[in-house]
Amino acid sequence: MIRYPAREIKVIGVTAPSSGVGPDDHEVLRSAIERLEERNFKLKVGETAWTQSEAKSADAETRAEELMEMLNDETVDLIMPPWGGELLIEVLEHLDFEALPEKWVMGYSDISLLLLAITLKTGLATAHGTNLIDLRGPESDDTTAKWLKVLQTKKDGSISQVSSEKFQEKWDHEDPSPVVFHLTEPTAWKTVSGEAEQFSGRLLGGCIDVIRHIIGTPYGNIEAFREAHIPGEPVIWYLENCEMNVADLKRSLTQMKYAGWFNHISGIVFGRSAANEAVGGYTIEKLYEDLSDELGVPIAYDIDLGHVPPQITFVNGAYAVIDVENGKGKVTQEFK
């Protein structure tokens, strides 16, 4: 059984369990806070959101303590870190997973490690989607804007999201558009088969660069999660690559396979990536083809997910049906 936070989102807690925002970027954080306040949200901003040193906002104990305080603050409805980072993994051993209340946590990149660990350890749904900084524009593109509707979906309800019209090829932080992103390139979801594909199952995923590091640890026990929360149900993995070349990515995916993470799955979807550099002629397309053959499941790629925005909001633990046809995609999630 998956538990879904059921509360209207009025108060957002901003804490940085990975990277905070250093002084040079404080204005960017202030802009995001002001935009959300203009939308009638109240924000509680922790001290770690404003600090950054040695690749993290603070030491692991301090980050964990502030995160737990916000999780246990009854007035806070959603935890939304400012952005990702590098060293979220240090925080996990300092969290009291048994004491986590039913409250949404949302983010991506390094934050996806926290999200996946929470869901696997507790059966509590978590949301892989926009971070706070990306909501600083006066407008929001249709894909990103869906985050709130997804989180406000009622238990036993469903919500559908469709592929974007265009995506951002390159970041330009110095010249943000009204929706923050520069959406210039036509979106095209693809499948290894080249044909229309549909698959269904329970969603799990995140940024491969970081979630691979909990394989074989108490925070990545997929089998225990299956038995306790989704017995007999298949999984759809949604995955994205931030920085790895194709060989490193294949090593990581093979490790996931060896660890049993790809047992009883119905398919995998991969986000667009600015990485995926070919190695010795081994391309990302050939990797996807090889993996599909090895696992015997359909694979879709270049979907709206991760570091090449915009991105769909995926809920870890939710039951989903994913359709890909003629370059378009649809993700329907049921909170059951």
Side-chain angles (χ1 to χ4, degrees):
M1 177 179 177
I2 301 297
R3 295 178 295 134
Y4 301 93
R7 54 199 299 165
E8 184 178 356
I9 296 180
K10 297 180 179 179
V11 180
I12 299 173
V14 183
T15 184
S18 183
S19 286
V21 180
D24 291 346
D25 293 312
H26 278 182
E27 187 54 41
V28 175
L29 179 55
R30 290 192 190 97
S31 295
I33 292 168
E34 290 169 2
R35 291 298 182 193
L36 286 164
E37 288 176 338
E38 290 172 1
R39 297 179 59 189
N40 296 319
F41 294 105
K42 180 179 178 181
L43 279 81
K44 288 191 173 183
V45 185
E47 293 181 8
T48 63
W50 302 101
T51 58
Q52 178 72 1
S53 178
E54 299 178 343
K56 52 190 178 291
S57 64
D59 62 81
E61 292 88 346
T62 298
R63 284 179 279 154
E65 181 180 2
E66 187 174 271
L67 175 59
M68 288 301 302
E69 286 177 357
M70 287 202 176
L71 284 166
N72 289 313
D73 184 339
E74 280 298 317
T75 68
V76 173
D77 305 306
L78 162 67
I79 305 295
M80 188 187 295
W83 48 25
E86 304 288 346
L87 295 173
L88 184 286
I89 196 167
E90 296 180 330
V91 170
L92 298 180
E93 64 180 314
H94 302 289
L95 300 178
D96 185 355
F97 286 92
E98 294 183 0
L100 296 186
E102 293 188 1
K103 180 177 298 185
W104 284 112
V105 184
M106 183 170 74
Y108 76 105
S109 191
D110 202 27
I111 303 303
S112 70
L113 179 57
L114 172 66
L115 305 178
L116 184 60
I118 288 174
T119 299
L120 294 182
K121 290 280 285 183
T122 70
L124 180 64
T126 52
H128 185 284
T130 185
N131 60 37
L132 187 82
I133 293 299
D134 291 340
L135 297 176
R136 68 186 184 278
E139 302 173 21
S140 191
D141 65 275
D142 292 342
T143 306
T144 304
K146 275 277 195 173
W147 71 268
L148 185 58
K149 288 186 178 180
V150 173
L151 301 194
Q152 300 280 219
T153 301
K154 304 294 185 182
K155 180 172 171 52
D156 296 321
S158 67
I159 184 164
S160 295
Q161 299 169 86
V162 297
S163 53
S164 65
E165 291 296 324
K166 294 183 178 181
F167 70 92
Q168 174 178 276
E169 184 177 27
K170 295 180 180 179
W171 288 95
D172 185 0
H173 296 290
E174 300 301 318
D175 182 29
S177 73
V179 299
V180 178
F181 309 127
H182 296 274
L183 305 175
T184 60
E185 309 304 308
T187 295
W189 289 23
K190 301 165 186 159
T191 63
V192 166
S193 68
E195 305 293 332
E197 298 282 9
Q198 182 187 81
F199 34 101
S200 60
R202 296 286 179 171
L203 291 170
L204 291 174
C207 179
I208 309 174
D209 307 52
V210 294
I211 65 171
R212 60 180 174 166
H213 293 301
I214 58 171
I215 291 173
T217 74
Y219 311 104
N221 193 333
I222 298 290
E223 191 58 37
F225 166 77
R226 287 181 180 281
E227 293 177 1
H229 302 290
I230 56 167
E233 296 190 67
V235 165
I236 299 172
W237 281 97
Y238 65 91
L239 301 168
E240 61 116 355
N241 172 25
C242 180
E243 297 177 333
M244 292 182 284
N245 64 36
V246 172
D248 194 4
L249 178 60
K250 187 58 165 68
R251 286 192 294 268
S252 299
L253 291 164
T254 302
Q255 182 183 6
M256 294 169 75
K257 181 180 74 170
Y258 288 166
W261 280 29
F262 294 149
N263 293 344
H264 198 37
I265 64 172
S266 57
I268 305 176
V269 294
F270 287 91
R272 293 179 293 261
S273 176
N276 289 343
E277 180 183 355
V279 175
Y282 191 40
T283 66
I284 189 62
E285 290 81 11
K286 186 61 168 66
L287 181 156
Y288 293 148
E289 181 182 333
D290 289 348
L291 188 65
S292 181
D293 288 342
E294 290 172 22
L295 301 177
V297 297
I299 288 178
Y301 59 98
D302 286 357
I303 75 163
D304 295 294
L305 167 67
H307 288 78
V308 183
Q311 59 177 313
I312 281 172
T313 301
F314 286 87
V315 174
N316 285 318
Y319 176 81
V321 178
I322 298 180
D323 292 279
V324 184
E325 185 174 9
N326 295 326
K328 303 294 185 181
K330 182 178 181 181
V331 179
T332 300
Q333 298 177 84
E334 295 183 46
F335 286 11
K336 66 178 186 178

